[in-house]
Amino acid sequence: MTTLLFYSKSDRTEWWREMMAEHLPEVEFRVWPDVGDRAEIDYALVWKPESGLLASLPNLKAILSLGAGVDHIFADPDLPQGVPISRVVNDNMALRMREWVLLHVLSHHRRQREYNQLQRARVWRDLDQPHAGERRVGVMGLGELGGDAAHHLAAIGFDVIGWSRSPRELDGVRTFHGRDGLKAFLAETDILVSVLPLTPQTTNMIDADFLARLPRGASVINAGRGQQIVEADLIAALDSGHLSEATLDVFQTEPLPVTDPLWIHPRVTVTPHIAAMTDPRALVRQVVQDIRSVEAGQPVTNPVDPARGY
Ligand code: NDP
Ligand code: OXD
């Protein structure tokens, strides 16, 4: 019998058990820590698996990520080599990320945080407002999620540019790539949106030097991973007035500790890593497809290249 091990701290375990029984009755569903005989596990469906767990499953055929990001899997120093990894790619997730990005870009663009403050002070005042075509939005990461968000930002009239590792072409979006393209990209960005995966190259990349390259008054929106931002440098750039505001969905430490200054910073908006939550109803179809595909000797649906790390 084919066996899948589920590892996640989420409260959706029973839901997954029922859905798997409905869609893949031929697969036995085991939930960590009740692993049973480790040699019997064929698939692992995981979010932040504990280090060494995957290496302890000698007959693993594929690792299925419960998220689009796979840094939580590559963080395992004992990750077994050669086992295919599949990650979440679907329209449902792209739509959710698009909603979150548009919401916060529009909020920065229309100065909503300042209007909220004026409301609290009962002050009736209008603030200078360029139109979208006069606002340059720079999107870092032009893959499944960033590419979609950039496309829709351009569709509502923003002047959109994008940055990726390798050259990318997107209708209505001017693109830059690689370290060589970064300076020019940042110099032309008023609202920076990051939807980058976490890799050794992107870890702590948004630091004081990086932020200093943005025009004065620029703002930052991050839905990639918290470990990409040196948070002390971000706060210093906000306090000095170089940055006007920041909206952060992801943090160096999650959940964000109650004592963290980001919670109460007047120019920071915090959301609790919800920009694009995995919808299990959409993911279950991909899990079914992945398992059927591998059982038929075919590759997983959305394979991750371990050499790139995303
Ligand atoms: P993709 O793999 O489809 O796209 C990644 C993009 O980032 C690509 O354009 C890639 O470049 C670019 N990139 C990667 N490394 C670099 C680098 N060193 N320099 C410049 N560009 C780089 O990923 P997705 O769009 O599906 O997801 C992106 C990330 O979003 C996830 O890894 C995860 O961290 C985050 N995420 C956050 C969520 C949330 O709720 N906050 C929800 C889901 C995902 P290239 O085009 O050349 O490959
Ligand atoms: C993901 C996430 O990677 O939710 O899917 O962050």
Side-chain angles (χ1 to χ4, degrees):
M1 182 169 207
T2 304
T3 305
L4 176 139
L5 176 67
F6 181 82
Y7 183 106
S8 168
K9 301 274 157 64
S10 93
D11 50 9
R12 292 275 195 171
T13 306
E14 283 318 304
W15 186 94
W16 272 102
R17 190 192 299 283
E18 283 164 27
M19 291 307 277
M20 291 297 289
E22 184 183 329
H23 292 279
L24 273 179
E26 71 273 26
V27 172
E28 183 184 340
F29 186 79
R30 292 189 195 164
V31 178
W32 185 89
D34 297 326
V35 185
D37 181 352
R38 289 175 185 249
E40 289 171 359
I41 306 293
D42 301 290
Y43 299 93
L45 176 60
V46 296
W47 179 251
K48 297 187 182 171
E50 65 173 20
S51 293
L53 171 70
L54 298 167
S56 76
L57 309 172
N59 296 316
L60 201 54
K61 294 178 186 165
I63 300 165
L64 314 179
S65 171
L66 278 159
V70 284
D71 48 294
H72 65 106
I73 294 172
F74 286 113
D76 180 350
D78 300 319
L79 183 67
Q81 306 293 304
V83 179
I85 301 174
S86 174
R87 71 186 190 93
V88 179
V89 175
N90 57 50
D91 292 348
N92 184 305
M93 179 161 275
L95 176 57
R96 287 165 187 269
M97 183 59 84
R98 184 194 314 165
E99 290 168 2
W100 188 89
V101 169
L102 291 181
L103 171 69
H104 293 286
V105 168
L106 283 167
S107 173
H108 286 208
H109 169 59
R110 296 303 300 248
R111 309 180 68 169
Q112 189 56 42
R113 186 186 49 79
E114 291 163 88
Y115 281 117
N116 292 345
Q117 285 166 348
L118 289 172
Q119 179 183 350
R120 281 193 290 275
R122 302 179 192 210
V123 175
W124 183 275
R125 181 191 303 153
D126 57 287
L127 304 169
D128 285 349
Q129 183 63 59
H131 66 68
E134 295 165 320
R135 190 77 82 181
R136 301 167 301 178
V137 182
V139 179
M140 294 206 297
L142 296 175
E144 298 290 338
L145 304 178
D148 177 88
H151 170 77
H152 286 89
L153 287 163
I156 58 171
F158 285 107
D159 178 2
V160 183
I161 58 176
W163 183 68
S164 52
R165 194 177 54 91
S166 54
R168 287 255 178 177
E169 280 184 25
L170 255 122
D171 272 356
V173 177
R174 277 184 304 126
T175 54
F176 300 78
H177 67 275
R179 293 306 296 189
D180 292 347
L182 186 59
K183 281 186 199 165
F185 166 81
L186 293 176
E188 293 189 41
T189 293
D190 299 318
I191 300 177
L192 179 74
V193 176
S194 177
V195 199
L196 285 171
L198 184 67
T199 65
Q201 292 72 40
T202 65
T203 301
N204 291 328
M205 76 177 289
I206 304 181
D207 61 6
D209 273 3
F210 177 107
L211 294 170
R213 296 192 183 281
L214 290 166
R216 189 169 179 81
S219 68
V220 170
I221 296 177
N222 188 25
R225 285 290 183 258
Q227 293 82 355
Q228 288 155 350
I229 296 191
V230 179
E231 290 170 351
D233 291 359
L234 179 79
I235 291 174
L238 288 161
D239 289 345
S240 73
H242 180 67
L243 289 184
S244 56
E245 65 178 305
T247 295
L248 308 173
D249 184 56
V250 285
F251 301 88
Q252 288 276 354
T253 305
E254 293 181 12
L256 187 61
V258 286
T259 53
D260 196 292
L262 289 170
W263 277 118
I264 51 163
H265 196 288
R267 291 168 186 236
V268 174
T269 300
V270 169
T271 59
H273 199 145
I274 47 72
M277 290 193 291
T278 298
D279 184 334
R281 292 164 302 180
L283 179 55
V284 78
R285 289 194 287 275
Q286 190 183 319
V287 170
V288 169
Q289 224 181 324
D290 273 334
I291 293 181
R292 296 234 160 103
S293 184
V294 174
E295 291 301 308
Q298 301 297 315
V300 292
T301 51
N302 295 293
V304 173
D305 176 357
R308 290 190 327 180
Y310 66 93

